[in-house]
Amino acid sequence: MPRGYARYALAVMVGINFLNYLDRWILPAASGVIKREFSLSDAQLGLLGTAFLLVYAVGALPFGYWADRGSRRLVVGAAVTIWSVATLLTGFAQGFFQLFASRAAVGVGEAGYYPAGTSMLGDYFPKATRSRAMAIWGAGSVVGIAVGFAGGAYIASHYGWRTAFFFTAIPGLICAVLAFTLREPLRGAAEEHGPRLVHTDQAGLAAFFRLLRIPTLRATIVAQTLLFFVLAADAFWLPEVLHRYHHLGLEAAGYLAGAVLILGGLIGTLAGGWLGDRLSRSTGRGNLDVGAIGFVVGAFAVGGALVAPSLGLFVVAFLIGVVAVYLYQGPFTATSQNVVTPALRASAVTLTLFVAHLLGDSYSTAVVGFLSDLMGSLRLALLVVSPTLLLLAAAAAVFGRRHVDPDTAAMEAEWARTREAAPELRTA
């Protein structure tokens, strides 16, 4: 690779991650308008989020397999193309079932991006800087959420909610072209020991299930499953909370939600990556410590925000909560890559996405919507689930910390023993 190419590839991946989350969060920003136009209940609105997340979880399986056996840049390019076209089709929806189908199609495309992208970045950046690289990459998602909220609300208010979806399609297709032209790193290129390979054939159903034997990976999956329920539910319903309980209009609620998420998310994500690399210089346990502390602080902060009597107190408490829970992103992603060989890193991400989304956030928006209808209070529904699940996520991270160093050493030893046929050791 040319000098500095890893940073260029990271910049492209950040841009794609921005659009990845922008596409997801336009819907909740415009949910009020869509709800009125199609006369939807809270439960139906929640199901639109479920449509995306459920397909996203299941769709990650074939894409993860492809990424570990084939060209990861082709997987990324194809995924961005699919979700961009599906987002465009969302703007043409004429009813609930068409909205449901188009959001499900977005999930198909976005399912392919994260496993392949994480694996590529794991081979661009060594272990010593991996947490920071993953945090910078994750920062793109935070900006995407914020722009999705604020930009989606503005466009929906002034030009109609359909236009908000149309505006995201062209940038997505441009990023797809950039992804197709990336130079793919050799697998294992960033490791201190072991081969550097163009292709591997270790990925498969048996290897996929063997990953569950890695205690550290299991702990991060459980923690993220619990966390994803909270993140999806709170982010999806945040504009509605501001609208219903603090009497903000659609546009103002979107702006404020976006501001809180972008400020808190960027601070938390970038600080978490820096802290993770710093605390993991001598032991990999530091990455999980950063996440666990963030989950505990986030549980109390989010709970305090939901019972806050004024808008000012809500914003301060929720901002602290966002900073805290986003500390995990870079450290957890780096940890999952550190304990898995380069030949199976996309599969490890796929496993995480499949379990965490299927059992975590694929139904969270619908559950909170159902509880809101049942209890007659959206705020109470969120208060029941958010602090409790964040504390359980912290407990899962603490459980996994004692396994990090042995699992990392085992991965390095296994990769150092890996030998492939000589033709596979060619330059990409």
Side-chain angles (χ1 to χ4, degrees), residues 62-79:
F63 279 109
Y65 178 83
W66 180 17
D68 269 337
R69 283 181 171 256
S71 171
R72 292 167 290 184
R73 65 183 177 86
L74 293 182
V75 176
V76 172

Side-chain angles (χ1 to χ4, degrees), residues 122-296:
D123 285 328
Y124 276 125
F125 295 92
K127 184 172 64 175
T129 60
R130 193 168 287 154
S131 183
R132 276 172 287 174
M134 295 299 179
I136 293 170
W137 184 40
S141 67
V142 176
V143 179
I145 294 172
V147 174
F149 272 131
Y154 176 82
I155 295 174
S157 296
H158 292 273
Y159 304 103
W161 65 269
R162 299 177 189 279
T163 306
F165 289 99
F166 296 154
F167 275 6
T168 63
I170 294 177
L173 294 174
I174 293 173
C175 282
V177 173
L178 294 177
F180 281 126
T181 59
L182 284 175
R183 298 187 182 187
E184 184 154 342
L186 297 174
R187 299 173 196 268
E191 304 305 314
E192 293 183 5
H193 306 288
R196 289 158 172 77
L197 310 176
V198 174
H199 301 294
T200 63
D201 58 3
Q202 296 181 27
L205 188 61
F208 189 76
F209 285 107
R210 281 199 303 272
L211 291 171
L212 287 172
R213 299 177 184 175
I214 303 174
T216 303
L217 188 61
R218 289 201 306 268
T220 61
I221 290 174
V222 171
Q224 288 177 90
T225 300
L226 297 164
L227 172 68
F228 283 9
F229 187 106
V230 176
L231 288 179
D234 286 10
F236 187 91
W237 292 109
L238 178 57
E240 278 296 299
V241 169
L242 292 171
H243 175 66
R244 294 185 192 183
Y245 301 105
H246 298 286
H247 313 295
L248 297 182
L250 173 65
E251 189 174 346
Y255 287 158
L256 184 56
V260 170
L261 289 171
I262 192 171
L263 181 60
L266 281 176
I267 293 173
T269 300
L270 297 176
W274 180 81
L275 286 171
D277 279 342
R278 186 174 181 83
L279 296 179
S280 298
R281 289 176 180 174
S282 58
T283 172
R285 292 191 298 269
N287 279 328
L288 291 188
D289 290 341
V290 170
I293 293 170
F295 298 155
V296 172

Side-chain angles (χ1 to χ4, degrees), residues 88 177 204 216 358 426:
L88 180 66
V177 173
T216 303
L358 188 65
R426 62 186 183 275

